[in-house]
């Protein structure tokens, strides 16, 4: 760490610390009642658990009184003709196309007439794991490439509970794999724009595939939103002299195959020197209707193009749809979309995400903020279509605030208050973002070379998500009070018993408790000593309390969260266990290949969990 640290007045900004072994949350009243009557148990409007210690075990750890089991792992077949996962060859192109994808991330459970449909992003692949059967630990054959592309995308699968365990309903007519090769329709203002024209699609209206879908969203009209994040790393150039345009560079397109995916050599459309507009057709939010298995996914360009994390959908007081979105890269921005038309239950709402206004957030040091609208006039661009394609450049022009890597956004279910994880930013106060926007220390990004992360929250003026003004504060600054005594100790609600780093996935349960998942440093050493593996915690927005609920297996990220309709099961994603190689065999144990998995967590007494 740098000895020279610039920080702002953080103690005044962050939440209240309350250190207790026993955690009862659900509002101040429940908190006090339980203090008087310890061990009162679960009721409809609160959650009680004994917080767990950090650990570095190769398993999932949950509090006493809770159990977990695996629902689905990478490579599990969705149809009965599929072979079980093969630990020797780790699947083939053909088997992967009919199986659950890799690296599960954001997900939502849809309930229809008592049946349950889990829709899950399959974000990416780890080369040494998926291609661990090859000497090079990389894609070596055309079938390896087919397998890798099929491991990406989105999985739709019906699940059912039998004898207390959730499993895939094989053969369900709703089961579906959407991959990096599936047909997509491009909709919204950028549809047909010349920057989207390619040899295969001269009209710029139909893209092929979706990949690197990170967080997710769901709409009030029953559709799923997959969010394309690091789409850039799949592109490369066969021509070493190819000159990348400034916008391509801003989006991180490289001439080199940075992570060795090999897609650009195996599938020419990823060769940017031959197809320079292809990258412009990724980086969007993709709307999927899980109840219509034959429907074509829609790339909704009105929501902007950047490295999308998730999409938190709420309704403004007018009934317009508001979508909050983060761009997860160092020094990038926070956005919101406001639809032109209103949501009306029962109406055809399928066009709501195609027309609206896009804003980027500006935070002021006086704890206020405003949403700056991106229009051709404010962004100095020729058209709305161009703003939807070069959204980052538009937000730079209006002077939005560069953030510490905005990850998930979650809206409080009982009041107009929105939370966003800012996972970390080693460049804060050190260097500008890719658009050369300064990254000064201050406001919601108060620590230089911030390697722990924080959660910012804001309340829109007039308690209306359509307002362009808001007030903000920090709910928590992550840190390590056993190592640091300055701002890097974290805010007052961080202590030796609940510390963590790099908050990423967040979601509110029905009661208004905030579930926080981490994707951070799991070395358990130095600045991260005592934090153990990546984890999931529960925060109480009213009191500031945060307590650890779950610890994941080794080298995993905990990401993706959704509840069963009866709120008696919580589904949580365990992504890339053993990503560094060797130390994890989750979930199979023994010598098995580590596999990303969805786990179900249930209270042993059948009570509610959130
Ligand atoms: Fe895929 Fe920003 O995490
Ligand atoms: Ca994430
Ligand atoms: Ca992450």
């Amino acid at each position: 760490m740098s000895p020279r640290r610039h920080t702002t007045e953080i103690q005044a900004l962050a939440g209240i610390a309350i250190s207790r072994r026993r955690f009862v949350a659900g509002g101040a009243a429940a908190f006090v009642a339980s203090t008087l009557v310890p061990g009162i148990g679960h009721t409809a409007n609160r959650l009680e658990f004994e917080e767990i210690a950090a650990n570095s075990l190769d398993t999932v750890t949950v509090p006493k009184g809770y159990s977990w089991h695996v629902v689905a792992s990478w490579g599990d077949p969705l149809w009965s003709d599929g072979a079980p996962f093969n630990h020797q060859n780790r699947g083939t192109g053909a088997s992967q196309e009919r199986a659950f994808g890799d690296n599960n991330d954001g997900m939502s459970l849809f309930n229809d007439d008592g049946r349950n449909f889990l829709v899950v992003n399959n974000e990416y692949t780890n080369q040494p794991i998926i291609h661990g059967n090859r000497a090079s630990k990389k894609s070596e054959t055309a079938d390896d490439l087919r397998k890798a592309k099929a491991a990406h995308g989105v999985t739709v699968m019906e699940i059912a509970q039998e004898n207390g365990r959730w499993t895939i309903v094989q053969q369900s007519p709703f089961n579906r794999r959407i991959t990096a090769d599936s047909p997509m329709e491009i909709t919204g203002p950028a549809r047909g724009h010349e920057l989207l024209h390619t040899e295969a699609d001269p009209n710029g209206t139909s893209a092929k595939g979706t990949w690197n879908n990170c967080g997710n969203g769901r709409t009030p009209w029953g559709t799923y939103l997959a969010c394309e994040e690091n789409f850039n790393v799949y592109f490369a150039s066969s021509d070493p002299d190819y000159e990348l345009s400034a916008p391509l560079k801003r989006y991180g397109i490289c001439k080199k195959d940075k992570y060795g995916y090999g897609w650009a050599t195996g599938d020419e459309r990823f060769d940017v020197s031959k197809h320079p507009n292809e990258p412009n057709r990724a980086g969007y939010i993709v709307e999927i209707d899980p109840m219509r298995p034959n429907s074509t996914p829609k790339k909704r360009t009105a929501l902007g193009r950047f490295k999308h994390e998730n999409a938190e959908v709420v309704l403004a007081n007018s009934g317009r749809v508001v979508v909050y979105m983060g761009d997860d890269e160092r020094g990038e921005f926070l956005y919101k979309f406001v639809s032109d038309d209103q949501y009306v239950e029962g109406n055809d709402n399928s066009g709501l995400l195609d027309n609206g206004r896009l804003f980027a957030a500006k935070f002021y040091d006086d704890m206020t903020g405003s949403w700056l609208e991106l229009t051709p006039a404010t962004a100095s661009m020729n058209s709305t279509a161009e703003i939807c394609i070069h959204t980052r450049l538009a937000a730079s022009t209006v002077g939005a605030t560069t953030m510490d890597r905005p990850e998930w956004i979650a809206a409080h279910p009982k009041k107009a208050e929105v939370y966003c994880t800012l996972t970390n930013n080693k460049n804060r106060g050190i260097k500008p973002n890719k658009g050369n926007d300064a990254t000064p220390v201050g406001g919601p990004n108060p620590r230089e070379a911030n390697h722990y992360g924080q959660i910012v929250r804001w309340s829109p003026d007039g308690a209306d998500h359509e307002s362009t003004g808001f007030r903000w504060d920090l709910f928590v600054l992550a840190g390590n009070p056993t190592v640091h005594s300055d701002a890097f100790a974290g805010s007052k609600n961080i202590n030796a018993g609940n510390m963590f780093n790099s908050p990423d996935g967040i979601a509110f349960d029905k009661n208004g408790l905030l579930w926080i998942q981490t994707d951070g440093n799991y070395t358990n050493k130095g600045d991260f000593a005592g934090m153990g593996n990546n984890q999931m915690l529960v925060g109480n927005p009213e009191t500031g309390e945060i307590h650890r609920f779950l610890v994941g297996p080794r080298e995993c990220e905990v990401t993706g969260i959704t509840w069963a309709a009866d709120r008696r099961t919580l589904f949580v994603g365990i992504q890339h266990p053993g990503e560094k190689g060797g130390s994890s065999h989750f979930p199979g144990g023994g010598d098995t290949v580590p596999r990303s998995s969805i786990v179900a967590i249930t209270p042993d007494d059948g009570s509610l969990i959130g």
Side-chain angles (χ1 to χ4, degrees), residues 105 123-124 212-215 229-230 308-309 328 405-408 504 519 557 575:
D105 205 312
E123 189 183 21
Y124 69 108
N212 213 291
N213 290 285
C214 192
E229 192 187 26
N230 295 303
H308 280 284
E309 185 68 26
D328 180 12
R405 291 187 55 200
E407 298 255 18
W408 290 48
D504 189 337
D519 173 22
E557 163 182 351
Q575 194 192 46

Side-chain angles (χ1 to χ4, degrees), residues 46-99:
R46 60 206 186 96
L47 183 75
E48 182 172 347
F49 65 91
E50 198 167 325
E51 88 175 334
I52 61 170
N55 70 57
S56 298
L57 303 172
D58 193 28
T59 188
V60 171
T61 309
V62 292
K64 261 185 259 167
Y66 292 83
S67 299
W68 65 273
H69 63 271
V70 173
V71 180
S73 297
W74 162 48
D76 281 347
L78 303 180
W79 291 274
S80 56
D81 60 357
F85 182 77
N86 180 324
H87 286 263
Q88 266 65 54
N89 69 7
R90 304 162 191 226
T92 63
S95 72
Q96 185 61 70
E97 282 166 359
R98 298 187 60 75

Side-chain angles (χ1 to χ4, degrees), residues 186 193-199 201 235 242 245 248 269 271-282 284 305 389-390:
I186 299 171
H193 191 274
E194 60 181 22
L195 282 166
L196 304 186
H197 294 186
T198 62
E199 210 172 286
D201 174 27
F235 293 93
Y242 180 69
S245 66
L248 285 177
R269 76 188 153 104
D271 184 338
V272 68
S273 62
K274 293 189 173 137
H275 303 282
N277 281 346
E278 276 293 351
N280 296 335
R281 297 144 63 82
Y284 296 105
R305 174 169 166 268
I389 298 167
H390 291 153

